[in-house]
Amino acid sequence: MKPETKNRTPWLWIPTLYFAEGIPYFIVNNISVLMFAKMGVPNGEMALFTSLLYLPWTIKPLWSPFVDIIRTKRWWILSMQVLMSVVLVVMALTLTRPTSQMIDHGETPMSLFTLTLVLFIVTAFASATHDIAADGFYMLGLSGKDQSFYVGIRSTFYRLSNIFGQGVLVAIAGHIETEYDDVPLSWTVTLGVAAVLFTLVTLYHFLAVPKVERQEESDVTAFSVILGFIRSFATFFTKDGVLLAIAFMLLYRLPEAFLLKLCTPFLVASPDVGGLGMATQDVGLAYGTIGVIFLTLGGIVGGIMASRWGLRKSLWPMAACMTLPCLSFVYLAAFQPGDMIVISTCIAIEQFGYGFGFTAYMLYMMHFADGEFKTSHYAICTAFMALSMMLPGMVAGYIQEWLGYENFFWMVMVCCVATVVVTALVVKKLKKKI
């Protein structure tokens, strides 16, 4: 059946839909890290609880089939956006205000933020569900030709949401903090800005997101969906080389999984404890803007090179770029430079390498998922991808507190051995023509 969008141009909803898809993800998984660090929560507790927020993206394949059969994709999109708008407003209004003494000494217990964590969890589940519905709506609402045409547009606006989340919102927090010398107020205002913006986008989507014609009734039931899921799940774990594939998906990004959880706390931590002592707004510029731009460039260059080299030839150079740039943070921790140009350059190098190296990871997941149940198997692969970031992140903060920042980043370099080993095993198994 041809999609019916009432002749409404996709330009009216695709850019804002994927911008809205990114905002809650980056608030939950990135801004929360910096916010809790600035609030004086110790790195161990901070890393543990913020890593657990990855869980909804890890397990979303469990309920994604039901989004297909219960109500419409448009209903799920708008419902989740309304829910996230309300939650962001409540989060901004109820954010805990630790004392200055707690913040200065880094002794703020995470238990003070119990309500905030609950709201983050609700946002995470709503965001993961929104991702499922938005991607499904994209395929249902556009012809095959239009899907190909707008894929770059959706990616661009998702990246812009990254810059907005880690760059603009962090810069706002930094400005309020500097102006009023009040850390809790800075994050209250920042979350309030995010809530207002997201609410406006949600209201716009009630008008802009078209009512795609409902598919004809079929024999699809919840029971048949469950049986289909069990079958696809079972066939995934009986595929040839599945154990090696799981090991690769869990270990290829191990250095970056540790690094990403502690890089922003390191940037704002006092030089007395091994950090760089950067102002919050400078982090928004260096990491949230320059870093994201070079991450994007790395991904673009990686895609171009992978299309020329193929997966097998791409793996070694991309694995090297995933690991070696981690030395940038060893340098920053060892010498603690105060020059923004030097710091931004190191972050740019590391993020470009990560973006370039991540391309091989994505290509391998697509390669392994190929065949029957391709979509379901790829969804399971993305679950392992989220797990690969969640598990190291849960212990990263405690390891950093034990080792200190410089030794922690050296430990990250040691973890590069895991990347090298799984890359070597996968390259050996892959056929030369791939």
Side-chain angles (χ1 to χ4, degrees), residues 78-88 122-123 126 198 202:
L78 297 178
S79 297
M80 293 302 102
Q81 287 186 6
V82 169
L83 175 59
M84 288 186 283
S85 297
V86 172
V87 171
L88 286 172
V122 174
T123 304
F198 200 82
T202 299

Side-chain angles (χ1 to χ4, degrees), residues 255 323 412-422:
T323 56
V412 169
M413 291 304 303
V414 173
C415 290
C416 294
V417 173
T419 305
V420 172
V421 169
V422 293

